[in-house]
């Protein structure tokens, strides 16, 4: 499956998500990543983005990596009977959050997101099991970004 780039500009969304990142205490770096679009490291305290991508593409990837930080680096349920998070499920959740956030702010990532989810064998059954986590994480990210826009409008 080919995952296309988002070859569009979206400086506004990239700026908002960059500030969300800073406000959450996450260090953001942009550099050449040799074939990778981005990743979160340091237990979710650092995100790196590929420098040579359009701002819309970087915004989508940043939303994806912020979702990983919120969903997969936070304290997880380790009680007996809790299912371990698979890499496929983690990618499904993060990409779903990124799609919702991008769509909310007018950036259409549907073709890219669908292809990315297909690579990780995402399906409706897996998605249904994570819908509340995805919705809550997307809502928080959207609320944080919209609060920034409100502050800018008042200032």
């Amino acid at each position: 499956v080919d995952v296309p780039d988002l070859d569009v500009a979206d400086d506004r969304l990239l700026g908002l998500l960059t500030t969300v990142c800073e406000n959450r205490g996450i260090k953001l770096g942009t550099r050449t990543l040799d074939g990778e679009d981005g990743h979160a490291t340091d237990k979710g305290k650092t995100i790196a983005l590929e420098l040579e991508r359009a701002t819309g593409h970087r915004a989508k990837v940043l939303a994806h990596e912020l979702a990983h930080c919120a969903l997969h680096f936070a304290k997880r349920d380790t009680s007996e009977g809790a299912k371990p998070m698979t890499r496929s499920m983690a990618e499904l959740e993060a990409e779903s959050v990124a799609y919702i956030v991008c769509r909310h702010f007018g950036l259409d990532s549907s073709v890219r997101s669908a292809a990315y989810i297909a690579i990780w064998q995402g399906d409706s059954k897996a998605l249904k099991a994570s819908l509340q986590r995805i919705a809550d994480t997307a809502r928080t990210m959207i609320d944080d970004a919209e609060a920034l826009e409100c502050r800018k409008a008042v200032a």
Side-chain angles (χ1 to χ4, degrees), residues 1-5 110-119:
V1 175
D2 184 34
V3 180
D5 286 347
S110 57
V111 172
R112 178 175 173 76
S113 293
Y116 188 85
I117 288 170
I119 285 174

Side-chain angles (χ1 to χ4, degrees), residues 75-86 133:
K75 188 175 180 178
R76 298 228 314 257
D77 182 4
T78 56
S79 62
E80 192 172 322
K83 291 184 178 182
M85 177 65 62
T86 65
R133 289 169 42 86

Side-chain angles (χ1 to χ4, degrees), residues 24-109:
R24 292 182 180 185
I26 300 170
K27 182 180 168 187
L28 178 62
T30 307
R31 62 182 188 275
T32 302
L33 295 176
D34 297 321
E36 186 180 22
D37 286 337
H39 59 261
T41 58
D42 191 24
K43 296 181 181 176
K45 295 179 184 157
T46 304
I47 293 175
L49 296 178
E50 169 58 52
L51 177 64
E52 301 298 322
R53 296 284 188 262
T55 56
H57 189 91
R58 283 186 277 156
K60 203 289 306 165
V61 173
L62 182 52
H64 177 102
E65 297 306 330
L66 279 167
H68 275 305
C69 292
L71 288 165
H72 309 126
F73 288 105
K75 188 175 180 178
R76 298 228 314 257
D77 182 4
T78 56
S79 62
E80 192 172 322
K83 291 184 178 182
M85 177 65 62
T86 65
R87 174 79 190 270
S88 292
M89 182 57 74
E91 294 302 330
L92 171 69
E93 288 182 346
E95 192 61 23
S96 296
V97 169
Y99 170 78
I100 293 165
V101 170
C102 288
R103 187 70 180 190
H104 177 84
F105 287 101
L107 177 60
D108 183 6
S109 68

